[in-house]
């Protein structure tokens, strides 16, 4: 089976940096995704890591360590519109895609 | 627009009834996933189909079933509905070596 853990909630100030951690246990690891979801809306893709290291995409970066079963999403220069849930998802053998419970990020002025 | 279409957008029905939710994946995507999201909860994986065949199953209730048709669209059937089945139901499609793209969801309200 799969087990994906991420914090439930985080609060940060506009302009600051926030790091959302995700740990996972899975068999047949085939990649890790980060999605953003605003309340009542569909999740939208942010990043994908399949090899160890850091992937940078504008204000968002994602890191993966396969040996540690660990990833993080780094949000820089936070804006009010970044208030949302951030979902870590692991793709296992057979392309099964399982999501963690999500981390709700609240950005305060 | 993700390219994934879900219908209907909203559905209100009574307990004990049966409903069918429909999903049209992005052109060429063979994988379809169904997820349930209750209020303020995470995405719960229900079931995955790949090119018409069931590929993986999550904590899907026996009252729920799904299928994927030859044209790759998928339907999720929910029967003997209970109040606790009220949720957002998302469909996502995925191609080879791509991320999953989500539809806008069907909001089901059981009264």
């Amino acid at each position: 089976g799969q087990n994906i853990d991420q914090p439930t909630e985080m609060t940060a100030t506009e302009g600051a940096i926030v790091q959302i951690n995700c740990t996972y246990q899975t068999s047949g690891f085939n990649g890790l995704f980060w999605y953003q979801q605003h309340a009542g809306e569909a999740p939208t893709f942010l990043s994908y890591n399949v090899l160890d290291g850091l992937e940078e995409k504008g204000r968002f970066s994602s890191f993966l360590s396969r040996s540690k079963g660990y990833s993080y999403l780094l949000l820089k220069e936070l804006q009010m519109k970044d208030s949302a849930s951030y979902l870590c998802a692991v793709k296992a053998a057979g392309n099964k895609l399982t999501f963690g419970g999500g981390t709700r990020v609240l950005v305060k002025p | 627009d993700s390219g994934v279409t879900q219908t209907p957008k909203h559905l209100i029905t009574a307990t004990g009834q049966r409903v069918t939710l429909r999903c049209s994946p992005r052109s060429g995507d063979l994988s379809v996933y169904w997820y349930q999201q209750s209020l303020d909860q995470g995405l719960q994986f229900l079931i995955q189909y790949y090119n018409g065949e069931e590929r993986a199953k999550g904590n899907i209730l026996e009252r729920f079933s799904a299928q994927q048709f030859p044209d790759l669209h998928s339907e999720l059937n929910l029967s003997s509905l209970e109040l606790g089945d009220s949720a957002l139901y998302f469909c996502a499609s995925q191609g080879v070596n791509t991320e999953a793209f989500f539809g806008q969801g069907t909001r089901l309200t059981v009264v």
Side-chain angles (χ1 to χ4, degrees), chain B residues 3-8 20-26 31-34 67-69 71-76 89-93 101-103 106:
Chain B
V4 179
T5 304
Q6 287 187 250
T7 56
T20 297
L21 312 184
R22 183 189 167 101
C23 171
S24 294
R26 288 190 329 148
S31 269
V32 169
Y33 302 83
W34 285 99
Q67 53 184 325
Q68 186 179 28
F69 294 87
D71 67 353
L72 300 179
H73 91 269
S74 178
E75 292 181 355
L76 179 67
Y89 290 84
F90 285 106
C91 161
S93 79
F101 292 85
F102 282 80
T106 293

Side-chain angles (χ1 to χ4, degrees), chain B residues 39-60:
Chain B
L39 190 62
D40 291 335
Q41 300 294 310
L43 285 167
Q44 297 299 317
F45 171 71
L46 294 178
I47 198 163
Q48 178 202 358
Y49 280 85
Y50 180 84
N51 202 21
E53 301 283 326
E54 183 183 303
R55 176 64 67 92
K57 217 169 192 178
N59 295 326
I60 187 168

Side-chain angles (χ1 to χ4, degrees), chain A residues 42-77:
Chain A
T44 54
F45 169 76
L46 290 178
S47 69
Y48 173 59
N49 295 71
V50 65
L51 299 176
D52 290 353
L54 188 68
E55 293 282 340
E56 296 189 82
K57 204 186 259 190
R59 294 189 299 114
F60 294 174
S61 305
S62 57
F63 171 83
L64 175 67
S65 168
R66 288 172 297 169
S67 62
K68 294 181 180 173
Y70 168 71
S71 173
Y72 68 72
L73 179 70
L74 197 67
L75 314 181
K76 293 179 267 191
E77 299 168 21

